[in-house]
Amino acid sequence: MPHEPCSLSLTGIKDTIIADCRKSEVWKVGQPSILIDHYRLHSSLQIMILDSFTTKLLSSCCKMSDLMSEKITIVEDLFKSREPVPEMKAIYFMSPTAKCVDAFIADFKSKPKYKAAYVYFTDYCPDDLFNNMKLHCAKYIRVCKEINMCFMPQEAQVFTCDNPGAFQSIYSPNSQDKKKTLETLADQLVTLCATLDEYPGVRYKKDSNMENAKALAELVDDKLARHYELDDSGKKKGKTQAQLLIVERGLDPVSPILHELTYQAMAYDLVDIENDTYKYKSKDGSEKQALLNEEDMLWVKLRHKHIAEVSEQIPKMVKEISANKKQPDGKITISNLAQMMKKMPAFRKQLTEKTIHLQLAEDCMKHYSNNVEKLCKAEQDLAVGSDVEGVKVKDPMRTLLPVLLHPYSTHDKIRAVLLYIFSLSGTTDENLSKLIQHVKIEDQREFILNWKELGVPIITSPSFFSRKPTRRDRSQEQTYNLSRWTPVIKDVMEDAVENKLDTKEWPHQSECPAAWNGSGAVSARQKHKASSLDDRRTGSRLIIFVLGGICFSEMRSAYEVTQAVKSCEVIIGSSHILTPTSLLDDIKALSKRPVETFTIEERSNA
């Protein structure tokens, strides 16, 4: 039986919050309580106060109009100066940190800003902070709850911990807070599991060079055990039919560096998209912007498709609308669409959506035609280790050299050099020096050398031999010639679902039920009693957490495996989402002191 969409779905979260709010008791996300308690009994609740994290979290779940429909008309920043409104009650939704608690206490300590406070923490509030609140503000606090949700739902099957800084904290040799960062990530993963009502078995990828995945697995398993020691009925919760796999970014350095040709990955790599906002100019020269998220159903439909399909499908969709309104079918361009929109107000919204993606796809294709198409063949040959005909690449330098001799941007040449080094599992110091001279980055060699901090071999001796991991045979799969590479994490997902992960390479920190095989057959046979969340799905859940960031092709893999298997839902997450540029910036910064920031040189559009 196929799953319903994962409960991480933004739409699902929004619907649950608003639905539960209407029931009068509490806002909820999944199982844990959230936000408005005894709502109908306190109709004057109109102010909500948020910190930066909860602002993002709430924005991912609902719009301002949703809050207004529940009589919340004011949303304020916890750390900004606010006018007192002593006749009103306030909802505080915040992280359990000293900074947040101090700001809360300041609102009530001398002269109360509000009549009463309804306090909701994203996670467990330490006793010292709780006692401090009680000491100064007890008579004003009507509700104080911990809701167990300090992760960010990005997409239906993707989450982050909203912490790009974790990369430096974990991998920089100058880091002072690695242990604290791993502790925080572990707490966030526990709240994810609690929200999904899962108590998974925990496994990690063993690596002789790196110990971070093991350390995080130990922390998560220990914290999960403590969290589930007693459930609401007073009984100890047993393991559920779920697995949590923890891996490091160094497991697959290739995927986040390659030029991807699927729509979402390509757009975020080649087009200037910030905070999921695409800015573009309309034909009349006015500035426009569009948010690329789950609310845009066309984006959700197209984002994992190859750019060739997207470029073909969008004009077809526009032609269908045009035909419906008896418009001539001519060539579809942005200016034609502008004319159609003026003539057909009823179709304006539909056309606007398609216009955005026609423009974005055109932007992607412009970059592709200029440079990327020629780069992709060399990149794919280096990554896969063979050409389109399946002939093994015997001399990767012959594949790389044309890229170095062509006037590509420095950024693109660095990416190609890295793929060459990854293909050989490292190169000699002498060879690397020549490559760096070729690319003219003598003063920026950290873009390449610092990968060693992730456990990725960069400099090796001529006699060094590294056994490359065996990849799944995909020779029979239909692929585009310039999209032959498959992310390593997709192999891991499929092996996990088929119960083929080697226990020596993937030790169990703790095991899930012995019969788990990811197929869903076990659950059906055992008549596993569904909880309120489980009744929307059958089978098992596989949760993957990548230390050091995930890229868009890895996110896509979670959907592809779920779609192929049907009986096992794959969810993927990390501290943050990577683009090739942001990853290279992070890599370079690893050798710098925390006070310094450096960015990769601007890409040339030439």
Short mmCIF file of all heavy atoms in Angstrom, two decimals, residues 2 17 23 93 104 135 140 150 177 206 209 215 277 312 402 415 461 484 486 506 537 601:
data_model
loop_
_atom_site.label_atom_id
_atom_site.label_comp_id
_atom_site.label_asym_id
_atom_site.label_seq_id
_atom_site.Cartn_x
_atom_site.Cartn_y
_atom_site.Cartn_z
N PRO A 2 0.60 2.20 -0.89
CA PRO A 2 1.40 3.42 -0.88
C PRO A 2 1.10 4.27 0.34
O PRO A 2 0.02 4.21 0.90
CB PRO A 2 0.95 4.13 -2.16
CG PRO A 2 -0.39 3.58 -2.46
CD PRO A 2 -0.44 2.20 -1.93
N ILE A 17 -2.31 22.19 12.60
CA ILE A 17 -2.27 23.33 13.52
C ILE A 17 -3.63 24.02 13.56
O ILE A 17 -4.23 24.20 14.62
CB ILE A 17 -1.20 24.34 13.08
CG1 ILE A 17 0.20 23.78 13.38
CG2 ILE A 17 -1.36 25.67 13.81
CD1 ILE A 17 1.33 24.63 12.81
N LYS A 23 -10.37 23.21 17.41
CA LYS A 23 -10.94 22.31 18.40
C LYS A 23 -10.88 22.90 19.80
O LYS A 23 -11.34 22.29 20.75
CB LYS A 23 -10.20 20.98 18.39
CG LYS A 23 -10.56 20.10 17.22
CD LYS A 23 -9.72 18.84 17.29
CE LYS A 23 -9.79 18.09 15.97
NZ LYS A 23 -8.80 17.01 15.92
N PHE A 93 6.12 31.78 21.69
CA PHE A 93 6.59 30.53 21.08
C PHE A 93 8.08 30.73 20.84
O PHE A 93 8.48 31.52 19.99
CB PHE A 93 5.84 30.29 19.78
CG PHE A 93 6.20 28.99 19.07
CD1 PHE A 93 6.64 27.88 19.78
CD2 PHE A 93 6.07 28.90 17.70
CE1 PHE A 93 6.96 26.70 19.13
CE2 PHE A 93 6.38 27.71 17.03
CZ PHE A 93 6.83 26.62 17.75
N PHE A 104 12.00 37.14 27.88
CA PHE A 104 10.65 36.91 28.39
C PHE A 104 10.50 37.52 29.79
O PHE A 104 9.52 38.22 30.08
CB PHE A 104 10.35 35.41 28.42
CG PHE A 104 9.09 35.06 29.17
CD1 PHE A 104 7.85 35.26 28.57
CD2 PHE A 104 9.14 34.57 30.47
CE1 PHE A 104 6.68 34.96 29.26
CE2 PHE A 104 7.97 34.28 31.16
CZ PHE A 104 6.74 34.47 30.55
N LEU A 135 10.40 32.11 39.21
CA LEU A 135 10.76 33.04 40.29
C LEU A 135 10.25 34.46 40.01
O LEU A 135 9.71 35.13 40.89
CB LEU A 135 12.29 33.06 40.45
CG LEU A 135 12.87 33.99 41.51
CD1 LEU A 135 12.45 33.52 42.91
CD2 LEU A 135 14.39 34.04 41.41
N TYR A 140 2.03 35.46 36.17
CA TYR A 140 1.55 35.85 34.84
C TYR A 140 1.48 34.67 33.87
O TYR A 140 0.84 34.77 32.82
CB TYR A 140 2.47 36.92 34.24
CG TYR A 140 2.53 38.17 35.08
CD1 TYR A 140 3.65 38.46 35.85
CD2 TYR A 140 1.44 39.06 35.11
CE1 TYR A 140 3.70 39.61 36.64
CE2 TYR A 140 1.49 40.20 35.90
CZ TYR A 140 2.61 40.47 36.66
OH TYR A 140 2.65 41.60 37.44
N CYS A 150 12.03 21.14 17.31
CA CYS A 150 13.07 22.15 17.03
C CYS A 150 13.86 21.74 15.79
O CYS A 150 15.07 21.79 15.75
CB CYS A 150 13.97 22.39 18.23
SG CYS A 150 14.76 20.96 18.91
N ASP A 177 33.45 24.39 19.58
CA ASP A 177 32.13 23.95 20.07
C ASP A 177 31.57 22.72 19.35
O ASP A 177 30.37 22.56 19.20
CB ASP A 177 31.12 25.10 19.96
CG ASP A 177 30.95 25.59 18.52
OD1 ASP A 177 31.73 25.16 17.65
OD2 ASP A 177 30.05 26.41 18.28
N LYS A 206 30.37 3.52 9.39
CA LYS A 206 31.67 3.42 10.03
C LYS A 206 32.74 3.99 9.11
O LYS A 206 32.74 3.74 7.91
CB LYS A 206 31.98 1.95 10.35
CG LYS A 206 33.13 1.77 11.33
CD LYS A 206 33.24 0.30 11.73
CE LYS A 206 34.36 0.13 12.74
NZ LYS A 206 34.49 -1.29 13.13
N ASN A 209 38.53 7.24 9.37
CA ASN A 209 39.06 8.60 9.48
C ASN A 209 38.21 9.53 10.33
O ASN A 209 38.72 10.46 10.94
CB ASN A 209 39.19 9.24 8.08
CG ASN A 209 40.16 8.48 7.20
OD1 ASN A 209 41.19 8.03 7.67
ND2 ASN A 209 39.82 8.33 5.93
N ALA A 215 29.72 9.36 16.98
CA ALA A 215 29.45 10.18 18.18
C ALA A 215 28.00 10.66 18.20
O ALA A 215 27.33 10.60 19.24
CB ALA A 215 30.41 11.38 18.21
N THR A 277 13.52 32.35 -2.69
CA THR A 277 12.84 33.40 -3.46
C THR A 277 13.55 33.64 -4.78
O THR A 277 14.75 33.93 -4.81
CB THR A 277 12.78 34.72 -2.65
OG1 THR A 277 12.13 34.46 -1.40
CG2 THR A 277 12.02 35.79 -3.41
N GLU A 312 10.00 21.32 -22.04
CA GLU A 312 9.00 20.83 -22.99
C GLU A 312 7.59 20.95 -22.42
O GLU A 312 6.65 21.31 -23.11
CB GLU A 312 9.32 19.35 -23.30
CG GLU A 312 8.49 18.75 -24.41
CD GLU A 312 8.83 17.27 -24.60
OE1 GLU A 312 10.03 16.93 -24.62
OE2 GLU A 312 7.88 16.48 -24.71
N PRO A 402 40.73 19.47 -21.27
CA PRO A 402 39.95 20.43 -22.08
C PRO A 402 39.18 21.45 -21.24
O PRO A 402 39.00 22.59 -21.66
CB PRO A 402 38.99 19.52 -22.87
CG PRO A 402 39.64 18.18 -22.87
CD PRO A 402 40.38 18.08 -21.58
N ARG A 415 35.53 23.05 -9.51
CA ARG A 415 34.62 21.90 -9.41
C ARG A 415 35.14 20.72 -10.23
O ARG A 415 35.11 19.56 -9.77
CB ARG A 415 33.21 22.30 -9.83
CG ARG A 415 32.53 23.21 -8.80
CD ARG A 415 31.27 23.90 -9.32
NE ARG A 415 30.14 23.01 -9.50
CZ ARG A 415 28.90 23.42 -9.73
NH1 ARG A 415 28.64 24.73 -9.80
NH2 ARG A 415 27.91 22.56 -9.89
N SER A 461 50.15 9.32 -1.70
CA SER A 461 51.44 8.94 -2.29
C SER A 461 51.17 8.11 -3.55
O SER A 461 50.11 7.49 -3.68
CB SER A 461 52.25 8.13 -1.29
OG SER A 461 51.55 6.95 -0.95
N ARG A 484 24.11 10.82 -15.77
CA ARG A 484 24.30 9.38 -15.49
C ARG A 484 24.65 9.10 -14.03
O ARG A 484 24.50 7.99 -13.56
CB ARG A 484 25.40 8.82 -16.40
CG ARG A 484 24.98 8.67 -17.85
CD ARG A 484 26.16 8.34 -18.75
NE ARG A 484 27.01 9.49 -19.00
CZ ARG A 484 28.34 9.48 -18.89
NH1 ARG A 484 28.97 8.39 -18.52
NH2 ARG A 484 29.04 10.58 -19.15
N THR A 486 24.48 8.81 -10.09
CA THR A 486 23.46 8.63 -9.06
C THR A 486 24.09 8.90 -7.70
O THR A 486 25.15 8.34 -7.39
CB THR A 486 22.91 7.18 -9.07
OG1 THR A 486 22.38 6.91 -10.37
CG2 THR A 486 21.84 6.98 -8.03
N TRP A 506 27.99 -0.67 8.61
CA TRP A 506 26.88 0.09 9.19
C TRP A 506 26.50 -0.51 10.55
O TRP A 506 25.48 -1.17 10.66
CB TRP A 506 25.67 0.08 8.25
CG TRP A 506 25.90 0.79 6.96
CD1 TRP A 506 26.44 0.29 5.82
CD2 TRP A 506 25.60 2.17 6.69
NE1 TRP A 506 26.50 1.26 4.84
CE2 TRP A 506 25.98 2.42 5.35
CE3 TRP A 506 25.03 3.21 7.44
CZ2 TRP A 506 25.81 3.67 4.76
CZ3 TRP A 506 24.87 4.45 6.84
CH2 TRP A 506 25.26 4.66 5.52
N ARG A 537 -0.38 5.75 7.06
CA ARG A 537 0.62 5.08 6.25
C ARG A 537 0.69 3.60 6.61
O ARG A 537 0.14 3.17 7.62
CB ARG A 537 1.99 5.73 6.48
CG ARG A 537 2.49 5.54 7.90
CD ARG A 537 3.81 6.27 8.12
NE ARG A 537 4.28 6.06 9.48
CZ ARG A 537 5.00 5.01 9.87
NH1 ARG A 537 5.32 4.08 9.01
NH2 ARG A 537 5.38 4.89 11.12
N GLU A 601 35.03 33.49 -5.29
CA GLU A 601 34.91 34.62 -6.21
C GLU A 601 33.65 34.51 -7.05
O GLU A 601 33.14 33.43 -7.28
CB GLU A 601 36.15 34.69 -7.10
CG GLU A 601 36.20 33.59 -8.15
CD GLU A 601 37.31 33.82 -9.17
OE1 GLU A 601 38.45 33.94 -8.74
OE2 GLU A 601 37.00 33.87 -10.36
#
